[in-house]
Amino acid sequence: MPLNTLLPTTLLRDADGRPLAQRVSLRNILIRAKLSLVILSHTLTLVALLAWQYGSARSDLVTSLRAEANLIASQLAPAVSSGDATAAARALQAFDHLPAVIAAAAYSTDGALLTQYGRAAGAVPQPLPPGQPLAYALDSITLQQPLAGGSGLLLVKTSLRPVYDRVLWFAMAASLIMAASFALAWMLSAGLRRRLYRVEQGLRHLANYDALTGLPNRVLFRRHLKRALASAAGEGGSVAVMFVDLDNFKIINDTLGHEVGDRLLREVGRRLARLAGRNARLGRLGGDEFGIVLANTDREAAARLAERTLQALTRPLQLMDQQVYIGASIGISLYPDDGADASTLLKHADAAMYQAKENGKNSFQFFSADLHFKALQHFTFEMSLRRALERGELALYYQPQVEVETRRIVGVEALLRWKSAEFGTFSSGDFIAIAEQSGLINQLGAWAIETACRQARAWVDAGLDGLTVSVNLSVRQLHTCDIVHLVRQTLEKTGLDPRLLELEITETVLMKHNAEVMDKLKALTELGVRLAIDDFGTGYSSLAYLRRLPVHRLKIDKSFVRDSHFTPDDAAIAAAIIAMARKLGIEVTAEGVENEEQLNLLKQAGCHLVQGYYFGSPLPPDELETLIRRLRASPAPATVQ
Ligand code: C2E
Ligand code: CA
């Protein structure tokens, strides 16, 4: 069902913000005005034609009357000159066959009436002034015909009725034809107009509404916001701008497919439309971003709507045969406190939304000036990170991985470090999340893989054989880049034995059961590369994947190691993981080992490798090489320190 049908008709507006219904009636008025103009011009044409018809009919009448009068005058002349009234009366009888002639009269030269002819009694045409052959009245024409030899005058009065009859018939026929042609044209154009109207409506809709959800798009949403701001400025009211961004939509889209993603967005649009009251205007601002403009509001009302929105969006969605859980992060900015124009308010709502995401997602956050500063910092930080690669500010540090039994360094984990000229030195924990959000992780990750492989190969060449190098992979790299191709190419380029490369992925990657990712991981192990599950124990994932995937190593998260010598539960979890892994033939590395007690507990549990500050923090490659050489040269197995 298109969403339009769910929205109140008052929400359906044209590009200029007027309700569509108002636009339609305006259009009708315009069509009627045009129609009236056409009818008026047709009527004027008809009147002109009738005038022309009247003129030509009257001149036809005069011509035929003249011809007839001429004929009769020639017969009348001898009778008039001889003063024979009887002969003259007989001559005038010839008008009998002209039904339009009302009366006629013959006058002698001295102006005396000799005889008369008339259909109606009493109407004797009087002689006209000399030189005037015709006299017109509304209903008749009088013709004066001098008789041959100047013997007298013949006057004939004829009715105009035949002229009016002819004009009337013409008028009726012309009106009929005109009405018929007009009706035909109207019918033809009405169909065309209807189709044009629909096309126009469709185009207008496309330009202003989002095709997937039926909600106003970014352009129309901005216009609504501007209008709300203009009226709030006039009335001294407040407007809230809410930026709603779905949490984890990208993962759902990538793992469950675009069709599920589209359905999800439509359902979110529907839920938002149901929530928004009369004061609210909705819009889809981008992929998984929605906007709400709330007019005549205050902070509390905006917070209430944000809360209701979060509740509505966290209810599970049934999409095809999947039950999907999604949350949202909402940023809110308020007019006039947080900005005076649409762009500033949108920017600030966006910044607040990012803050909500950072605060742990599925929450809302009002904009604050402090937040603005943070957003600015975040932005410059990200820009600077973008340039870090080309400026050569990135480095890989290597943390030793030590075999518990022999206390020998058998591997290293490559960890990114950023020595920023502007901001100082950062551990990966400080910037990896930003690199992931901005998509930069693909470039950084590719650089890390190549640098680590090159370094490992250099150590092999320098005689430090058997040293495995572990490189971290992020979820995003697995989803958005051809990681198999990248790793294969890097191994070929650097000439590193694939068995010396270990790739670490977090448990969360496996929680999504994405077939494509699973295939990629399998393809990686087929290259001969080893696979380690990082931060193991924190992801609540099903352990079934341990049987399906060729996993070589589990890395127990440092949170279980940190307090293991104080908290029996943590020690028990670490011991259980080690026991399970050993049964499955998987090696175990414990992370974050900082003291001898932790090491002893892990040793008792049968842990293979340990990694942590107790054996060495991440070091630059040359320092690590010196350390390994020193340890290998020392006769007794010893701790690194
Ligand atoms: P991780 O894979 O869990 O890395 C171990 C982190 O624990 C490192 O922090 C390391 O410095 C720290 N650590 C090592 N020993 C100890 C210890 O004894 N105690 C404590 N408390 N911490 C210890 P770092 O370098 O800040 O890395 C953070 C995360 O950044 C890493 O977590 C990893 O997931 C990610 N990362 C690092 N380098 C890369 C990379 O090249 N690519 C990707 N995608 N992610 C990376
Ligand atoms: Ca790691």
Side-chain angles (χ1 to χ4, degrees):
M1 191 194 331
L3 189 65
N4 294 358
T5 51
L6 284 171
L7 297 170
T9 44
T10 45
L11 284 182
L12 293 177
R13 285 166 186 267
D14 72 358
D16 303 324
R18 278 175 298 187
L20 273 183
Q22 186 183 329
R23 197 181 165 93
V24 169
S25 70
L26 259 179
R27 199 190 165 84
N28 281 343
I29 292 172
L30 215 71
I31 289 177
R32 276 188 204 139
K34 281 184 190 164
L35 203 68
S36 311
L37 260 176
V38 171
I39 292 175
L40 187 73
S41 75
H42 274 64
T43 314
L44 285 177
T45 314
L46 187 65
V47 168
L49 278 174
L50 289 181
W52 169 77
Q53 190 63 26
Y54 171 78
S56 83
R58 206 177 65 170
S59 94
D60 285 357
L61 183 69
V62 169
T63 312
S64 70
L65 191 64
R66 251 201 198 112
E68 207 59 44
N70 240 335
L71 206 68
I72 291 172
S74 63
Q75 291 162 15
L76 192 63
V80 174
S81 60
S82 64
D84 182 351
T86 318
R90 214 178 306 119
L92 289 188
Q93 287 297 321
F95 284 118
D96 272 353
H97 70 275
L98 288 178
V101 172
I102 310 165
Y107 290 90
S108 56
T109 342
D110 54 4
L113 175 68
L114 185 64
T115 185
Q116 69 175 69
Y117 166 88
R119 282 209 165 81
V124 181
Q126 297 300 313
L128 301 178
Q132 185 186 334
L134 288 167
Y136 295 101
L138 261 182
D139 57 346
S140 63
I141 302 174
T142 305
L143 173 87
Q144 179 168 274
Q145 175 76 41
L147 299 179
S151 54
L153 290 170
L154 167 63
L155 277 128
V156 188
K157 187 176 182 181
T158 184
S159 159
L160 276 174
R161 203 193 157 94
V163 172
Y164 287 129
D165 282 350
R166 195 168 132 185
V167 170
L168 191 69
W169 277 112
F170 181 83
M172 274 171 19
S175 307
L176 214 69
I177 291 169
M178 244 180 227
S181 69
F182 191 74
L184 193 71
W186 174 257
M187 262 156 42
L188 289 176
S189 75
L192 206 65
R193 270 199 331 272
R194 264 199 303 277
R195 241 173 294 153
L196 270 176
Y197 182 69
R198 274 200 296 269
V199 170
E200 195 189 86
Q201 287 299 104
L203 283 178
R204 188 168 295 127
H205 203 267
L206 269 185
N208 290 288
Y209 291 87
D210 167 50
L212 185 68
T213 60
L215 291 175
N217 61 16
R218 185 176 267 275
V219 179
L220 185 54
F221 180 79
R222 262 185 99 90
R223 221 172 281 152
H224 288 161
L225 173 58
K226 281 186 181 167
R227 196 154 293 133
L229 294 178
S231 69
E235 296 157 12
S238 283
V239 176
V241 183
M242 300 172 69
F243 220 100
V244 183
D245 188 284
L246 303 183
D247 294 335
N248 307 326
F249 174 74
K250 172 124 192 40
I251 294 176
I252 289 180
N253 216 23
D254 287 346
T255 50
L256 301 180
H258 291 258
E259 204 184 327
V260 174
D262 284 355
R263 281 173 187 240
L264 185 142
L265 290 172
R266 274 198 289 268
E267 180 55 27
V268 167
R270 264 184 224 123
R271 288 188 182 182
L272 291 179
R274 261 180 240 133
L275 271 179
R278 288 190 68 79
N279 285 348
R281 284 293 171 81
L282 294 178
R284 183 174 170 216
L285 308 184
D288 60 347
E289 290 169 357
F290 294 82
I292 305 175
V293 172
L294 200 58
N296 302 327
T297 190
D298 54 27
R299 216 178 164 78
E300 286 68 37
R304 274 198 304 276
L305 179 62
E307 243 159 40
R308 279 192 292 133
T309 306
L310 288 178
Q311 277 166 13
L313 295 185
T314 38
R315 279 204 322 273
L317 297 113
Q318 188 66 39
L319 301 173
M320 294 153 95
D321 54 346
Q322 309 262 8
Q323 196 160 51
V324 178
Y325 291 84
I326 194 148
S329 300
I330 303 178
I332 311 169
S333 62
L334 289 168
Y335 169 85
D337 298 352
D338 303 332
D341 58 274
S343 302
T344 312
L345 286 162
L346 278 170
K347 201 170 68 192
H348 288 173
D350 193 21
M353 185 276 291
Y354 270 104
Q355 189 57 43
K357 273 214 190 301
E358 263 179 34
N359 292 352
K361 299 188 175 175
N362 210 28
S363 61
F364 70 88
Q365 172 81 46
F366 280 96
F367 174 80
S368 70
D370 179 42
L371 200 68
H372 182 49
F373 181 67
K374 271 197 194 160
L376 212 67
Q377 264 188 330
H378 184 248
F379 179 72
T380 38
F381 192 76
E382 186 186 314
M383 284 296 130
S384 191
L385 183 57
R386 259 177 214 287
R387 289 192 298 266
L389 253 184
E390 50 201 73
R391 286 180 179 175
E393 292 180 346
L394 289 176
L396 277 186
Y397 274 37
Y398 298 87
Q399 184 172 34
Q401 294 173 331
V402 174
E403 201 169 52
V404 176
E405 275 309 311
T406 59
R407 295 207 175 191
R408 274 169 53 90
I409 298 175
V410 292
V412 288
E413 177 174 3
L415 293 159
L416 271 167
R417 293 291 176 266
W418 175 25
K419 290 174 189 162
S420 160
E422 292 149 272
F423 298 103
T425 303
F426 294 105
S427 286
S428 6
D430 301 322
F431 63 89
I432 287 291
I434 291 172
E436 283 179 337
Q437 273 166 26
S438 61
L440 266 172
I441 193 69
N442 283 347
Q443 279 163 274
L444 300 194
W447 180 86
I449 292 172
E450 181 166 347
T451 311
C453 287
R454 210 174 284 289
Q455 183 59 63
R457 173 65 212 229
W459 279 325
V460 172
D461 291 345
L464 293 181
D465 39 291
L467 201 63
T468 310
V469 65
S470 305
V471 182
N472 293 284
L473 282 190
S474 97
V475 190
R476 212 181 155 115
Q477 279 173 281
L478 280 166
H479 281 296
T480 58
C481 86
D482 188 352
I483 190 74
V484 184
H485 175 72
L486 179 82
V487 171
R488 186 190 298 119
Q489 210 183 30
T490 310
L491 288 169
E492 279 166 14
K493 202 156 56 172
T494 56
L496 181 72
D497 180 348
R499 287 169 305 173
L500 293 182
L501 177 64
E502 192 165 270
L503 295 174
E504 298 189 4
I505 51 164
T506 54
E507 230 183 332
T508 38
V509 173
L510 305 161
M511 283 161 64
K512 316 294 181 210
H513 304 294
N514 181 314
E516 201 187 328
V517 169
M518 291 292 172
D519 288 348
K520 282 184 181 178
L521 292 175
K522 271 195 202 119
L524 283 173
T525 57
E526 279 158 17
L527 293 177
V529 169
R530 297 157 65 90
L531 211 59
I533 309 297
D534 210 359
D535 306 335
F536 190 82
T538 55
Y540 316 105
S541 66
S542 141
L543 295 177
Y545 66 80
L546 290 179
R547 274 187 285 123
R548 288 203 305 269
L549 264 183
V551 172
H552 298 92
R553 179 179 305 284
L554 298 184
K555 293 190 77 177
I556 302 178
D557 190 68
K558 48 183 172 288
S559 59
F560 299 110
V561 176
R562 192 175 50 219
D563 300 328
S564 57
H565 55 299
F566 302 123
T567 321
D569 284 354
D570 283 342
I573 292 174
I577 294 174
I578 295 165
M580 175 195 68
R582 289 192 82 103
K583 280 226 166 71
L584 291 170
I586 298 172
E587 288 187 26
V588 183
T589 300
E591 290 182 291
V593 178
E594 293 180 0
N595 54 49
E596 189 71 29
E597 289 97 317
Q598 292 165 341
L599 179 67
N600 284 336
L601 280 171
L602 291 162
K603 191 177 176 180
Q604 280 163 26
C607 185
H608 301 101
L609 299 188
V610 282
Q611 182 182 337
Y613 295 156
Y614 187 52
F615 294 98
S617 8
L619 295 169
D622 49 342
E623 285 180 37
L624 183 92
E625 191 177 331
T626 315
L627 177 74
I628 297 175
R629 286 195 190 284
R630 182 164 60 81
L631 289 176
R632 286 195 180 175
S634 105
T639 58
V640 175
Q641 288 162 333

